[in-house]
């Protein structure tokens, strides 16, 4: 590791995530032992799979629900993400409105806002302590081009029904009183976001669904999904419904290899900052993002650190996924440079842990939820980084679709959305890496004084259809 990045004595690279390191990495439970029957079998024990199991058992306690997990419950993005319980859409309102109309897209957005409070309420009811603080989210602009995009974003959200109570521009005094980002020229704030400790949430969900009678078999990779069957090396689970809840790991199923692209995202976390907080502020524990193309996301953790994330090395050839979160040296250096650029006082701190994980990206960058009543095969995912909140809405929607209930959720515009798969290699690799190379170069030009959005970023958006 480069000496340019100061490292704590117990620095860890990978090993799933800091969130699990702080709790103790779970020992995976027993695998499936032979064939069995169920009413619903769910492939994947992350947020989507566990929320689906939770709401199904709450609605119909007699249902036999089985969850199959390759590693341990919460091993994937659910235990590695940035801890943003955020109400933003997993996709754009324009694309949802194109098929279902403007009112439906606005309704989906309002339900996303409400879903934040749903997660908080369930965590409270079930005794899940996930360090939740609903402090909102601050988005900063640090140069003229970003400031122009910030105002365009605000106007866009007003157009789609966000009121002053949903998002507002901060004046300089309030911006500085919230948190002091070096070079910030403007910021907006929305109340629709909460900080969580993601591994605590997924671990608590796993405990809760087990208590409800759901069987979770770990160390059980699913090799094939067919109508009414999930096949594994240890046996087949036959069920009326087979739900794929594999998000960024979907590419490991040969039949769905090009459905969602596994996009890599990486994080670092500092040591506890102690007196350094005096120079930063951040007493409200809101989440922090920016208007760069190669964007970052951050939170103030419950134990007084900054957890800071960004894209890093965005994609591995052939849609491969990571090795237990190990993070490339270049990525750690890039994240540290971004973090200390925003908060120069942190140069007196050190990196304590770095890790990575994958999220699922559909070809149109919009999430989907689907259940085929004929074959019994269903899925939800493609959250493009907004999965902490969206997975809960997916779980409730899958419940209604499986139980064949016509509800407000089953008519939302992301239900039964048809999306083509990603291109074959090497086109996938070339496209993704070209996109992020252009974004990095666009950010550099804008930081150097370009007063408008770089044309390089517009080219990148066109290449990948964002």
């Amino acid at each position: 590791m480069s000496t340019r990045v100061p490292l704590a004595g117990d620095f860890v690279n990978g090993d799933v995530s800091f969130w699990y390191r702080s709790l103790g990495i779970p020992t995976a439970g027993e695998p499936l032992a032979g064939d069995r029957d169920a009413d619903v079998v769910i492939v994947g024990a992350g947020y989507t799979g566990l929320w689906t199991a939770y709401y199904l058992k709450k609605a119909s306690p007699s249902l036999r629900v089985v969850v199959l997990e390759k590693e341990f419950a919460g091993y994937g993005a659910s235990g590695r993400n940035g801890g943003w319980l955020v109400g933003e859409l997993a996709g754009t309102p324009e694309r949802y409105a194109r098929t279902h109309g403007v009112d439906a897209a606005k309704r989906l957005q309002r339900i996303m806002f409400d879903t934040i409070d749903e997660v908080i309420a369930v965590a409270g009811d079930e005794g899940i302590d996930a360090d939740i603080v609903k402090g909102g989210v601050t988005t900063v602009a640090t140069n003229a081009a970003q400031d122009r995009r910030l105002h365009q974003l605000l106007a866009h959200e007003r157009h789609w029904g966000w009121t002053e109570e949903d998002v507002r521009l901060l004046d300089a005094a309030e911006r500085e009183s919230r948190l002091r980002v070096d070079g910030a020229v403007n910021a907006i704030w929305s109340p629709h976001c909460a900080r969580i400790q993601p591994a605590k949430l997924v671990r608590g969900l796993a405990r809760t669904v087990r208590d409800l009678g759901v069987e979770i078999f770990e160390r059980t990779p699913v090799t094939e999904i067919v109508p009414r069957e999930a096949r594994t090396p240890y046996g087949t689970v036959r069920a009326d419904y087979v739900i794929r809840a594999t998000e960024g790991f979907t590419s490991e199923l040969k039949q769905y290899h090009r459905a969602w692209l596994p996009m890599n995202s990486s994080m670092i976390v500092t040591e506890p900052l102690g007196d350094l907080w005096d120079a930063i502020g951040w007493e409200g524990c809101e989440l922090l993002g920016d208007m760069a193309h190669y964007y970052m996301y951050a939170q103030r953790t419950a134990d007084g650190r900054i957890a800071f994330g960004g894209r890093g090395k965005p994609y591995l050839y052939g849609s491969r996924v990571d090795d237990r979160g190990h993070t490339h040296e270049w990525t750690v250096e890039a994240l540290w440079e971004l973090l200390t650029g925003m908060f120069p006082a942190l140069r007196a701190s050190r990196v304590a842990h770095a890790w990575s994980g994958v999220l699922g990206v559909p070809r149109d960058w919009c999430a989907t939820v689907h259940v085929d009543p004929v074959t019994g095969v269903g899925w939800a995912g493609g959250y493009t980084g907004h999965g902490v909140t969206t997975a809960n809405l997916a779980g409730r929607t899958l419940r209604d679709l499986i139980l064949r209930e016509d509800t407000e959720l089953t008519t939302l515009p992301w239900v039964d959305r048809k999306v083509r798969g990603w291109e074959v290699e090497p086109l996938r690799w070339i496209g993704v890496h070209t996109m992020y190379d252009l974004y990095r170069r666009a950010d550099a030009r804008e930081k150097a004084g370009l007063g408008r959005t770089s044309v390089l970023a517009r080219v990148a958006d066109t290449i990948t259809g964002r």
Side-chain angles (χ1 to χ4, degrees):
M1 178 62 64
S2 169
T3 55
R4 287 187 292 155
V5 181
L7 307 176
D10 59 348
F11 172 79
V12 176
N13 189 338
D15 206 10
V16 188
S17 71
F18 164 76
W19 310 120
Y20 272 119
R21 179 191 172 201
S22 66
L23 301 177
I25 296 175
T27 300
E30 291 301 310
L32 180 70
D35 296 346
R36 68 172 52 224
D37 296 324
D39 295 307
V40 181
V41 58
I42 299 167
V43 182
Y47 289 144
T48 300
L50 295 175
W51 279 124
T52 303
Y54 175 81
Y55 286 111
L56 281 171
K57 290 294 282 187
K58 283 289 191 178
S60 183
S62 64
L63 280 177
R64 298 168 299 165
V65 180
V66 171
V67 180
L68 304 175
E69 167 58 45
K70 181 181 178 180
E71 301 287 347
F72 58 78
Y75 173 83
S78 299
R80 307 190 200 187
N81 62 79
W84 282 46
L85 184 63
V86 66
E88 296 174 11
L89 289 181
T92 65
E94 288 86 355
R95 283 183 171 163
Y96 292 121
R98 197 174 299 159
T99 55
H100 287 72
V102 170
D103 289 344
K106 289 182 177 180
R107 182 163 55 91
L108 176 58
Q109 179 61 82
R110 285 290 152 191
I111 289 174
M112 280 293 295
F113 288 160
D114 294 341
T115 298
I116 298 169
D117 295 324
E118 170 70 11
V119 173
I120 294 171
V122 173
D125 292 343
E126 301 295 350
I128 301 172
D129 179 6
D131 299 336
I132 300 175
V133 177
K134 192 179 180 184
V137 55
T138 295
T139 305
V140 298
T142 57
N143 58 52
Q146 289 187 21
D147 189 31
R148 288 183 67 175
R149 285 200 298 280
L150 187 80
H151 282 84
Q152 290 167 356
L153 173 63
L154 184 61
H156 176 268
E157 290 173 340
R158 289 280 185 268
H159 175 75
W160 285 98
W162 293 45
T163 68
E164 185 78 7
E165 294 182 349
D166 298 314
V167 62
R168 60 185 174 84
L169 192 68
L170 300 177
D171 62 38
E174 185 176 3
R175 185 184 73 233
E176 292 297 302
S177 70
R178 286 182 174 275
L179 70 168
R180 293 178 282 282
V181 175
D182 192 63
V185 295
N186 238 322
I188 56 176
W189 178 81
S190 169
H192 299 300
C193 191
R195 179 200 75 187
I196 66 163
Q197 207 280 34
K200 285 187 176 182
L201 178 59
V202 73
R203 189 173 71 171
L205 275 175
R207 170 187 54 77
T208 299
V209 300
R210 283 187 171 110
D211 290 345
L212 290 171
V214 174
E215 294 184 287
I216 302 176
F217 295 102
E218 299 174 309
R219 292 182 286 159
T220 304
V222 171
T223 56
E224 188 178 14
I225 293 172
V226 299
R228 312 203 191 286
E229 291 185 1
R231 297 173 178 172
T232 86
Y234 312 118
T236 295
V237 180
R238 300 177 182 87
D240 294 332
Y241 292 95
V242 183
I243 304 301
R244 190 184 84 228
T246 47
E247 187 56 359
F249 289 85
T250 300
S251 62
E252 294 192 314
L253 287 164
K254 184 178 180 180
Q255 67 201 111
Y256 300 111
H257 182 67
R258 288 163 50 199
W260 295 329
L261 186 140
M263 189 76 74
N264 196 58
S265 199
S266 301
M267 297 196 72
I268 59 175
V269 68
T270 67
E271 296 180 306
L273 296 182
D275 293 341
L276 293 178
W277 286 113
D278 294 339
I280 298 170
W282 217 336
E283 293 180 3
C285 294
E286 61 263 52
L287 286 300
L288 173 65
D290 72 355
M291 291 302 299
H293 305 291
Y294 208 77
Y295 61 88
M296 50 69 59
Y297 51 93
Q299 69 152 276
R300 176 174 178 166
T301 68
D303 62 346
R305 308 167 188 259
I306 293 178
F308 188 92
R311 278 291 174 262
K313 296 288 186 180
Y315 175 72
L316 300 177
Y317 189 88
S319 291
R320 291 179 290 116
V321 296
D322 67 280
D323 179 18
R324 291 186 68 86
H326 184 82
T327 302
H328 194 277
E329 174 182 331
W330 176 89
T331 299
V332 179
E333 293 176 354
L335 292 175
W336 179 253
E337 182 180 353
L338 284 171
L339 175 59
T340 55
M342 300 182 86
F343 302 109
L346 296 185
R347 295 189 181 108
S349 180
R350 295 183 295 180
V351 174
H353 196 140
W355 70 99
S356 299
V358 290
L359 52 100
V361 179
R363 192 60 183 85
D364 71 345
W365 299 76
C366 292
T368 59
V369 58
H370 171 81
V371 173
D372 184 340
V374 176
T375 65
V377 175
W379 61 79
Y383 302 135
T384 64
H386 295 86
V388 181
T389 310
T390 315
N392 175 275
L393 179 56
R396 288 182 285 140
T397 306
L398 285 168
R399 170 202 60 195
D400 293 350
L401 291 169
I402 290 168
L403 298 179
R404 302 196 180 193
E405 296 180 355
D406 293 326
T407 68
E408 181 182 31
L409 301 186
T410 61
T411 63
L412 290 173
W414 70 323
V415 175
D416 299 334
R417 187 174 180 82
K418 303 296 189 295
V419 183
R420 70 179 175 89
W422 284 86
E423 290 78 2
V424 298
E425 295 290 23
L427 296 179
R428 267 197 321 276
W429 189 93
I430 291 170
V432 174
H433 283 267
T434 298
M435 173 182 72
Y436 279 106
D437 179 63
L438 290 171
Y439 283 150
R440 282 193 294 268
R441 290 164 59 189
D443 283 332
R445 289 188 179 188
E446 293 173 11
K447 184 177 180 180
L450 182 67
R452 53 178 172 75
T453 294
S454 170
V455 68
L456 297 178
R458 302 188 190 281
V459 172
D461 288 342
T462 300
I463 289 173
T464 54
R466 289 188 69 181

